[in-house]
Each structure stands twice: as C-alpha cells, then as structure tokens.
Amino acid sequence: MFDLLDSLDTQQRGVALHDGQRLRVLAGAGTGKTTALTGRAAYLVTARNITPDRILLLTFTRRAARQMVSRTETLIGRVQKDRAHSGARARIVGGTFHSVAHGALRRYAAPLGLAEGFGVIDPSDAADLIDVIRNSFLQDKALQRRLPRKSTLLDIYCRAVDTATTVSEVVVEVAPWATKHAPAISDICREYVRKKRELGVLDFDDLLLYWREALSHPVVGRQIASDYDHVLVDEYQDVNTLQVDVLKLLTNQGQCLTVVGDDAQAIYSFRASSPDHILNFNSDFPEASTLALTTNYRSTQPILDVANALGSEAEVGFSTKLTVSPSNCAPATKPRLVRCADEDGQSDSVCERVLELREQGIALREQAVLVRAAHHSDRLEIELTRRGIPFVKYGGLKYLEAAHVKDLLAAFRLADNPRDELSWFRIFQLLSGVGPAKARTAIARLGISNDGSLPPLEPSNLPARWAQATKDFGPAARSSADVLLAAILPQVGERLVTHAERLRLAVAPLIESNYQDAAARLTDLEALVQASTSAARLSEVAAEHALEPPSGTSDLAGPPVIDEDYMVISTVHSAKGLEWDAVHVIHAADGNFPSDMALSDAAGLEEERRLFYVALTRARRSLDVYVPLRFHVNRHARDDRNVWAQPSRFLTGAVAPLVDEVTHMRPDDFGVAVIKPIDTAITVDAQLNGLWQ
C-alpha cells in the first residue's frame, strides 16, 4: 500500500503535515522543494479532505505549473488507487501569476471597466507601442537623441509599477544619464497607459495591477479569494512587490499560505524581484512558521562544500547549508579550478575535458557549459565546431518574436477588438505596397484614435469605413484587404475554430509573399488554429500565447540533430532549475563573472554571487571552473585590446581550499615555444656599435 508520507523525507514530511496558517519553506538547491510542495497539496486532499479545486498552485512558468499539478494528481491517484475518480487534474488550479490573473480578469471584466474581449500584448508589442509614443516626443529638439530607447523606457515603466516606485526614482537607478529628462519619461509612461486603455489592451503588468485592484474591491475581491482555502507558491524568491500585494489580498480572509523558495537563487532583480521578500516574509505575513529543506539529492559533498563556502561569505541571505543525501553514491571528487592562458586556451581546455569525461562515461548531453553572458561562449563555439563536438545553445528567437506568428495573432486580436491599433498597423503592412505611412493613414480613416467626430469603431461599422480607409492602396493590396476584412468579421453561429481557420486562410497568402521560408511558417499557423479549439474567444488564444509562448518555432529550429549525442551551452539564468552530471563554468574572472557592471554596487555584487551559486549547484558529479588569465575587453572593437585577469573574487577566501587547481598551458602560450639548442652564437653588437659612430 502506497503511503504518501513514506515517499517524503523527514524535512519534506514536516512541510506536508504543517497545520499553521502561514508557512515559509527555505529550500536549498536540489532539496526537493517541488516534491515537498506537491506532497503538501496531495496530503491536504487525501488526509484533510480539502476539495482539490480549493487549492491554488502558483509559480512563474506554465511548464512548472503543469508539472506541479500533474505530480500532485499522481500522488492523489496512488493514495486513492483510482486516479480517474480523484479528478485532481481537472479540478486543482495551477498556473503562473499572470495566467491566473488573466483568468480572473476575464470573469470580472465588466466591474473592472474592461472590454469583454480585451487583448494582452507581449513585451515586444509593449515596447513597440512605447516607441511610437517616444517618437512623438522627439519633436521637441531638447529631447532629440537624449531619451532612452524603447526597451529601457519599458524597463523603467515596469520597475516603477512592480516596485511601487516613482518614475523619477527608477530613472536614477536604471538610466542615470537621463535624469534631467525624468519629467518627459513620466509623460511617456502616462501616455502609454492612456493609449493602452484607448486600444483596449493590457500588458503583463496590467494583469497584476488589475488583479490587485479586483482583490481590493470589497465585493469582487471577496468572491475571488473565497474560491480558495490554500494558496501554495513555488520559487517565492522571485516575487516582486506587486505579487506580494496580490498574495496578501488573496489570503486576507483566513486562507492558508505556503511559500517555498531559496534566497540564494534570487537572480532576477532585472524583473524587480528581490530576496528581501522571502528573507523578511514575517514582515508581510506576521506569525508565519519557517521550515528548512537542507538535504541535497543532486550533488556530491565536495560540490556542496564549495557552494556552502561561497554562501558563507555573502553579506545577506544564504540561509540554508546543504548536506548530501545518504543515498548519493556518486564518486566524490573535488571541483577543479582550471587556469588558462587566454580565451583560446580556455576553449582548448574545455574541449579536452568534455571529451575526457565522455570517455569516462558522462555523455555529452549530460554535460553543460554555463556562461554569465551569451557572448562569452563565442570562442568556445568556434573550437567545438572545429573539433566536431556537437552542441546546442539555449536562447535565440522566441516563438512570439517570429514575425509570422505575430501576424496571425494580430488578426485574432482584431476579430474581438477592431480598435487594436497595433494589430492594424501590423496587418496593413503585410499588404503589397503598404508601408508605415499608408498604414497610419488607413488607421486614422478607420477612426480608431477617435476625436469624437465618429462613433467608436465596432465590427458593425467597420465595413462602412473600409473603402475610405483603403482607398490609397493599390489594386492587389485592396483585394487582399477585402479578404482580410471578410475573415476578421465574425459570422453568426460560427464555431471559434472555424473563424480561426478563415483567418489563417486569409493571412497565409500574405505570409507566402512576405517571407522566403513560407512552408515551415505555415505549419506554425496551423498550430495556432488548433490552439483555438479550447478557447472561448480568439483574443484569449493570443493572450495565452503571449503569457506562455512555446520556446521556439519550426522555421527557426534548423535541421534536426542527427548526431547521437550533443552537449549544452547555456546562460546561467536559462539554466536555473536544470541539472547535469558535469558542469563547466567559463570566464570566471572579475569583470566577466561577476560582471563588471556589478563591481561598484553592493547589491549587484551579491546578486552576482547568487548567480554563481546557481551555476555551481547545477552539477551532480563533476564541476570545472575556468579562469582565463587574459581576455579581450571589447569584442567588437577594431583593435586587439586585452587585459590581465584576476580570478573571480568568488573563488578566493573560504572557497579556495576546496578546489583542485589545474594549469592548462599550451607550448606556445605567451609566445614561449620549446626549441632545440643552437650551437652557433648570434650577435648584433657590430650593427649596434655602428649606430654610435
């Protein structure tokens, strides 16, 4: 007979059995925090008879949320011996903060003043909208070439919202060189908010803002919060101030709150998260209990010793010290610190070590090279290719950054909201001979930015304005535009998937005429139509893809990997939550890791320490850290500037005695070559003496 508690260790069992209202679990790397959280959820259902749909699981990626729900369902099914009867998969609520917020706002759109078919724009579209507003401000000569770029402006806006900080204060932190233009930046942010309301769209921050406002409402808030008895949050070290506010409101009627996180892995300050939220949990949620998970099931003890030593020198945080699981029988060898002459020597050393470990039985796919910044692997990628060592690099163009995907999703949004100016701007430019100027003119004639002279644009009056809006288009463009209009307008009694298919058929010829590799792109469009089968509105399909897009697209994936094995290159941020048998951390020198941008900032330096900690704790059996003694300081410069490197300050002090130092030098490093003795003497004294005559 399966006993749920027997599947948990002593510390995890304490989490599952906790009966207080507030619980903080400090869970170190590899200690099974998801196991503890799902174990608690399953125990609440099977032992305390909590209805599954009254449990809310929150985390930061849709994949992690699905994993938690699935694992909880499996545990419940094993206890009840009737997985279908438990119905846990259908009833347990799990998702990201943004996806759960989106679902709540759809339910309560009317009292919040939102249109039923409001759209959700991803960060790329949000930046484009800010750029439009920014360009209008550049008419002021005093601001020309002085305003931050669109990405920085969006970052300023998001940080102000997420941290409840004024724009002026954020500008000092993010773009101090633009401080004197803070009033103009505030005006841009204000216009950005107004424009979103005019277009009937929300960005990611809006989802949380409106959710917080909904929860603050005396009637709506009570209704939303009353749906749950228990709220469980994973990766709590990644929350921001706005998300903490949401949790306070969501649990202010006596609901139980359990959070799990590791302050040592708080590495997303650029998303306005802070380890202070988990370290000072009791300030936000008084009388909370604290439990710790310290038994690591991933790494060997020598690797954990290095990680613990790194944490012991931190100014704040690192509240848990890791110990190896008694069940870990992997060979315990010390991590290696490899000193190399330069970047080429580093690449040479990594390749040799990778192949050596492969011969020892660690497959390439169980090895990863971790870098602080994506460009740090440039030289290594060249050497791997030269030696024929296959690899895959995490990163690249995301699914929603692919133009053809955004094209069809724009059409989906227009089907529910014809006032979406950004979507019209994108769709119009797919037409032959239509550029930005003609697109803006057509949008103005549709009356989207309404000055009161025309009734608000609706599907009912869209056809009447169409001929005027498209009169400057050429014959081919007008013909395609008419097809698009017919596809955008809904038909009475039409199934949603049928409407989606009509839009795909209207957009597909435009994709074929605008992109060279159309065949693969059209496959992506078919996948979008299939995604509409379970949605209530086409704008919801677009919103769901914006909230949690697939990681890549078929047209960008390249040819399939035909090698039997390949290794991974990844930034440390992308590697969080993953693990490999062998990990190689490169460019561990001051200025690279930690980044030179963090060296003058105490808080930034501590985040770099946490990032280094994440890199080290991805390794199960083997850990190699590489220090090039010389590296280039400007990879795009026309000269050949380089500097002598200092080993990362994270490798000194308590860490140094815990690693084996290895020197990797090639015979010609630093211009020193091994040569045979020469019998004859070589002299230039006579030539030199001639100069003094």
Side-chain angles (χ1 to χ4, degrees), residues 94-247:
T96 66
F97 278 89
H98 292 94
S99 65
V100 174
H102 178 249
L105 298 184
R106 288 289 184 191
R107 291 169 57 193
Y108 297 97
L112 291 168
L114 295 172
E116 186 178 356
F118 69 84
V120 178
I121 57 175
D122 61 59
S124 173
D125 286 334
D128 288 343
L129 180 56
I130 279 187
D131 197 39
V132 171
I133 299 167
R134 175 185 181 273
N135 288 334
S136 68
F137 275 72
L138 291 180
Q139 302 300 319
D140 183 349
K141 292 185 178 180
L143 296 174
Q144 289 181 2
R145 304 187 182 210
R146 298 296 182 186
L147 286 176
R149 296 185 178 274
K150 62 180 182 180
S151 58
T152 304
L153 288 171
L154 182 61
D155 185 31
I156 292 171
Y157 172 85
C158 293
R159 284 176 180 259
V161 171
D162 293 339
T163 61
T165 308
T166 66
V167 167
S168 298
E169 293 174 300
V170 175
V171 169
V172 172
E173 177 186 352
V174 174
W177 50 269
T179 302
K180 66 178 180 179
H181 299 302
I185 295 173
S186 295
D187 289 341
I188 290 174
C189 293
R190 189 176 297 106
E191 176 63 14
Y192 173 63
V193 171
R194 189 200 68 78
K195 194 67 175 177
K196 284 186 296 179
R197 303 299 173 261
E198 180 183 292
L199 299 177
V201 298
L202 303 180
D203 62 19
F204 282 14
D205 290 304
D206 287 331
L207 292 171
L208 297 183
L209 279 172
Y210 272 89
W211 194 21
R212 183 179 66 182
E213 291 308 304
L215 288 167
S216 301
H217 191 276
V219 177
V220 175
R222 183 172 294 275
Q223 289 180 357
I224 296 175
S226 64
D227 289 339
Y228 310 111
D229 294 327
H230 289 265
V231 179
L232 286 69
V233 185
D234 197 11
E235 304 289 358
Y236 190 79
Q237 76 278 350
D238 294 335
V239 297
N240 58 39
T241 300
L242 183 53
Q243 289 160 335
V244 173
D245 289 345
V246 165
L247 290 173

Side-chain angles (χ1 to χ4, degrees), residues 480-522:
S480 298
D482 291 343
V483 172
L484 277 171
L485 175 64
I488 289 170
L489 294 174
Q491 296 181 0
V492 179
E494 183 179 43
R495 294 174 61 226
L496 193 72
V497 68
T498 305
H499 193 182
E501 177 64 9
R502 286 199 297 116
L503 285 165
R504 184 192 70 82
L505 292 173
V507 171
L510 302 177
I511 300 299
E512 291 179 317
S513 61
N514 280 277
Y515 303 102
Q516 293 183 344
D517 49 348
R521 296 176 185 264
L522 293 178

Side-chain angles (χ1 to χ4, degrees), residues 338-349 626-632 642-645 662-671:
V338 185
R339 297 179 183 268
C340 312
D342 51 24
E343 294 172 273
D344 290 334
Q346 176 180 249
S347 299
D348 184 67
S349 180
Y626 300 81
V627 181
L629 300 181
R630 183 177 64 198
F631 62 86
H632 292 272
N642 59 79
V643 298
W644 293 107
V662 179
T663 300
H664 178 89
M665 296 291 177
R666 299 166 297 176
D668 59 345
D669 280 334
F670 305 109

Side-chain angles (χ1 to χ4, degrees), residues 323-651:
T323 58
V324 69
S325 165
S327 61
N328 192 334
C329 301
T333 58
K334 275 188 174 183
R336 301 195 322 157
L337 173 62
V338 185
R339 297 179 183 268
C340 312
D342 51 24
E343 294 172 273
D344 290 334
Q346 176 180 249
S347 299
D348 184 67
S349 180
V350 170
C351 290
E352 290 184 7
R353 180 62 170 167
V354 164
L355 295 175
E356 177 188 348
L357 292 173
R358 184 174 183 266
E359 292 303 311
Q360 294 177 9
I362 300 180
L364 293 181
R365 70 186 64 187
E366 289 299 335
Q367 299 190 54
V369 175
L370 302 186
V371 296
R372 173 63 182 86
H375 67 82
H376 285 172
S377 64
D378 289 354
R379 298 270 183 112
L380 176 61
E381 292 175 45
I382 294 173
E383 184 65 15
L384 289 169
T385 302
R386 189 185 71 80
R387 295 189 181 218
I389 301 174
F391 66 92
V392 60
K393 187 173 181 180
Y394 283 5
L397 193 61
K398 296 183 183 294
Y399 184 81
L400 278 183
E401 294 171 349
H404 63 290
V405 175
K406 296 178 76 70
D407 293 337
L408 184 56
L409 291 179
F412 280 10
R413 287 194 291 266
L414 289 172
D416 286 337
N417 179 18
R419 296 181 299 279
D420 188 338
E421 184 177 342
L422 281 176
S423 293
W424 280 122
F425 190 66
R426 183 173 200 94
I427 288 293
F428 278 145
Q429 291 185 83
L430 290 175
L431 305 176
S432 176
V434 179
K438 285 187 178 181
R440 292 191 184 95
T441 301
I443 290 169
R445 290 170 177 169
L446 286 175
I448 294 175
S449 298
N450 198 355
D451 58 2
S453 60
L454 293 172
L457 186 64
E458 302 289 348
S460 58
N461 57 31
L462 178 57
R465 303 182 190 180
W466 193 251
Q468 179 68 16
T470 61
K471 69 178 184 178
D472 293 339
F473 295 178
R478 281 200 304 271
S479 177
S480 298
D482 291 343
V483 172
L484 277 171
L485 175 64
I488 289 170
L489 294 174
Q491 296 181 0
V492 179
E494 183 179 43
R495 294 174 61 226
L496 193 72
V497 68
T498 305
H499 193 182
E501 177 64 9
R502 286 199 297 116
L503 285 165
R504 184 192 70 82
L505 292 173
V507 171
L510 302 177
I511 300 299
E512 291 179 317
S513 61
N514 280 277
Y515 303 102
Q516 293 183 344
D517 49 348
R521 296 176 185 264
L522 293 178
T523 302
D524 287 332
L525 302 193
E526 293 173 0
L528 285 176
V529 173
Q530 292 301 313
S532 68
T533 56
S534 59
R537 308 176 67 93
L538 286 175
S539 57
E540 289 186 17
V541 179
E544 289 296 319
H545 279 70
L547 290 169
E548 188 68 23
S551 59
T553 88
S554 57
D555 70 299
L556 299 169
V561 177
I562 59 175
D563 200 280
E564 63 179 358
D565 200 8
Y566 55 90
M567 66 179 299
V568 168
I569 298 176
S570 172
T571 63
V572 182
H573 282 100
S574 297
K576 187 172 177 289
L578 304 176
E579 59 187 65
W580 295 269
D581 280 347
V583 168
H584 311 264
V585 183
I586 65 174
H587 277 295
D590 269 7
N592 285 336
F593 207 162
S595 168
D596 55 357
M597 294 187 297
L599 296 181
S600 61
D601 178 28
L605 187 60
E606 287 304 307
E607 175 149 335
E608 291 289 309
R609 182 188 306 276
R610 296 191 293 270
L611 196 61
F612 198 69
Y613 175 88
V614 169
L616 302 183
T617 54
R618 300 310 94 193
R620 299 192 194 104
R621 297 166 51 189
S622 173
L623 174 63
D624 292 83
V625 182
Y626 300 81
V627 181
L629 300 181
R630 183 177 64 198
F631 62 86
H632 292 272
V633 295
N634 189 347
R635 64 192 183 102
H636 296 302
R638 297 189 179 187
D639 60 8
D640 196 31
R641 294 175 59 218
N642 59 79
V643 298
W644 293 107
Q646 293 292 328
S648 172
R649 64 192 66 194
F650 302 144
L651 297 171

